[in-house]
Amino acid sequence: MYTKQPKKLLIFNILDILKKYSDADHRLSQKEIEDILKTEYNMVTDRKAIKRNLMNLIDFGYEIEYSEYVRMVPNAKTGEREESCVLSDFYLVREFTDGELRLLIDSLLFSNHVPSGQCKELIGKLEGLSSSYFRSRIKYIATVPDNQADNQQVFLNVEILDEAISRHRKVAFRYLEYGMDKKQHPKKRSDGSEKYIVSPYQMAAKEGKYYLICNFDKYNDISNYRIDRIRDIEILEEKAKPFDTLQGADGRPLDLSDYMKKHVYMYSGGDCRARIRINRPMISDVIDLFGKEVNFSDENETDVTVTVYANEMSIERFALSFAPDVVVLEPKVLANKVKNCLLKAAEKYQ
């Protein structure tokens, strides 16, 4: 049982009740608010005070909906029945609908870049944006997968990278990779160093993973690094290389939408225009991966040719993943590369 609370807390308790127990499907009368105040907050008050504080909350800018009813009540002086306006069905309008919150929670549950402990904490915060009825309905959702990121510095990485990008500064960090012991260890570069220095440009999520689009200082091309594998990051005073000077940027600033369409698997490397032959049932898969800018031609009952402009390694990965339903026609260099890769794979099974 709560200790008796001072009257000045009444308005805060009423707001807390609306947050916990009201939504468009669960509306509260003044009597119900009065009962909750008594049982959960050890606060006894009358309905006039409840109504007054509800109106004050509305005046303060809280979006509270309610209904008005007219009923006939006897006049205390004359005894004659007269009309009286009664307010009821109070509920707090939420910034997010339950569907929007569910979408955000599902995105967290199936992401691979947020450590499980932080994921559960974030889900709890999102649940708090709705009523208690919403929380009770999502208990059936699968628990956070065990294969989520081990690196607990993800949110710190995001904050530091965001600052570095806004200041156009380079960053230095260590990059982690898994070993045979199933634990993450710093990856050593070819010169034996563990330190990576990059110019950061943008952060982007793809297939449940969170990437940093950047330039590795030693080269002049574009690289992608998993943010959940970055550790011990620091901002340097050295200015970042302008993106439009990099190989593959074609002298233009980063267009994130265009970049993500071309880099469906977030591989680095150059882009190319390719013609591939696919089975007709794979049209949806092609559009999902490469977008609606692809062109279709030479259609028959079973196959269709697709012309796509995308990252070369992504096209190669797509062709290898869906062989034999996908065949690269052009460029010939890429077609031969895929062919040789498949031949080597077949030899492994001999």
Side-chain angles (χ1 to χ4, degrees):
M1 176 71 71
Y2 291 97
T3 57
K4 189 172 182 179
Q5 300 190 40
K7 291 290 186 180
K8 61 184 178 182
L9 292 180
L10 177 59
I11 191 168
F12 297 106
N13 291 340
I14 291 175
L15 178 60
D16 194 44
I17 289 170
L18 291 174
K19 287 180 177 179
K20 286 182 180 178
Y21 299 113
S22 77
D23 55 40
D25 297 320
H26 303 86
R27 309 183 183 203
L28 297 172
S29 66
Q30 293 180 54
K31 177 64 168 64
E32 288 171 324
I33 295 174
E34 180 184 354
D35 291 341
I36 297 172
L37 283 168
K38 183 177 180 180
T39 57
E40 295 191 22
Y41 297 82
N42 197 27
M43 180 172 278
V44 178
T45 188
D46 56 44
R47 297 188 198 179
K48 288 184 179 179
I50 293 173
K51 178 181 177 182
R52 182 172 63 252
N53 282 276
L54 285 167
M55 294 300 104
N56 285 338
L57 286 171
I58 293 173
D59 290 339
F60 292 156
Y62 288 96
E63 193 173 355
I64 299 171
E65 294 289 340
Y66 59 90
S67 302
E68 296 184 13
Y69 301 95
V70 176
R71 65 179 182 180
M72 303 301 294
V73 297
N75 186 292
K77 293 181 179 180
T78 65
E80 295 182 4
R81 297 178 66 82
E82 56 186 30
E83 290 184 353
S84 175
C85 183
V86 178
L87 305 184
S88 188
D89 298 338
F90 290 91
Y91 72 94
L92 183 66
V93 177
R94 309 285 170 168
E95 289 190 51
F96 295 93
T97 67
D98 285 357
E100 290 168 338
L101 288 175
R102 174 64 189 272
L103 179 63
L104 292 172
I105 289 172
D106 282 352
S107 298
L108 280 170
L109 283 170
F110 298 107
S111 68
N112 294 321
H113 57 271
V114 182
S116 59
Q118 292 171 319
C119 183
K120 291 175 182 177
E121 183 180 343
L122 277 174
I123 289 174
K125 291 179 179 179
L126 288 172
E127 289 175 350
L129 296 176
S130 189
S131 67
S132 58
Y133 307 104
F134 173 77
R135 285 192 288 272
S136 68
R137 286 207 307 272
I138 69 165
K139 288 181 179 178
Y140 68 90
I141 296 178
T143 54
V144 178
D146 293 331
N147 64 339
Q148 288 183 305
D150 292 331
N151 186 0
Q152 300 297 314
Q153 298 184 9
V154 173
F155 290 101
L156 177 62
N157 290 344
V158 171
E159 291 179 12
I160 294 175
L161 285 169
D162 187 55
E163 180 183 349
I165 292 169
S166 64
R167 292 177 56 197
H168 306 287
R169 292 291 186 270
K170 292 182 180 180
V171 295
F173 55 78
R174 292 194 298 167
Y175 198 62
L176 306 179
E177 63 179 355
Y178 280 100
M180 295 290 290
D181 57 0
K182 301 179 183 179
K183 296 180 180 179
Q184 291 182 328
H185 305 276
K187 183 177 181 180
K188 293 186 183 295
R189 292 169 39 209
S190 56
D191 60 2
S193 171
E194 294 180 356
K195 195 172 186 178
Y196 285 70
I197 297 177
V198 306
S199 296
Y201 304 112
Q202 187 60 271
M203 293 175 280
K206 188 74 173 181
E207 294 184 333
K209 301 176 180 65
Y210 207 17
Y211 293 91
L212 171 66
I213 302 171
C214 61
N215 160 253
F216 181 53
D217 212 42
K218 188 177 178 180
Y219 304 105
N220 200 42
D221 56 4
I222 304 167
S223 299
N224 303 309
Y225 289 95
R226 289 267 297 275
I227 292 177
D228 58 293
R229 294 186 181 177
I230 290 174
R231 195 172 189 176
D232 304 326
I233 187 171
E234 58 179 322
I235 300 176
L236 306 179
E237 286 304 314
E238 188 177 355
K239 282 210 165 188
K241 295 180 188 177
F243 182 85
D244 55 13
T245 65
L246 300 178
Q247 178 184 340
D250 299 325
R252 294 175 296 179
L254 175 61
D255 182 334
L256 186 59
S257 176
D258 182 65
Y259 185 87
M260 299 302 286
K261 287 177 184 176
K262 292 177 181 176
H263 295 74
V264 294
Y265 296 110
M266 294 306 289
Y267 288 136
S268 302
D271 303 330
C272 75
R273 188 174 301 279
R275 290 176 64 246
I276 55 179
R277 192 73 175 169
I278 66 169
N279 285 357
R280 283 181 52 131
M282 293 196 64
I283 289 176
S284 294
D285 297 304
V286 168
I287 292 176
D288 283 343
L289 282 170
F290 299 106
K292 295 182 179 179
E293 289 75 15
V294 299
N295 292 316
F296 297 103
S297 60
D298 302 327
E299 177 187 6
N300 61 31
E301 291 183 0
T302 58
D303 303 304
V304 63
T305 297
V306 185
T307 302
V308 57
Y309 185 69
N311 172 258
E312 184 174 322
M313 288 187 67
S314 297
I315 298 172
E316 178 186 345
R317 167 71 180 274
F318 175 70
L320 290 170
S321 298
F322 291 94
D325 295 331
V326 174
V327 178
V328 177
L329 304 177
E330 294 178 351
K332 291 298 182 183
V333 173
L334 180 58
N336 289 332
K337 192 174 181 181
V338 173
K339 176 183 175 181
N340 292 333
C341 212
L342 291 171
L343 288 173
K344 287 181 181 178
E347 290 175 2
K348 296 284 186 180
Y349 286 93
Q350 297 299 322

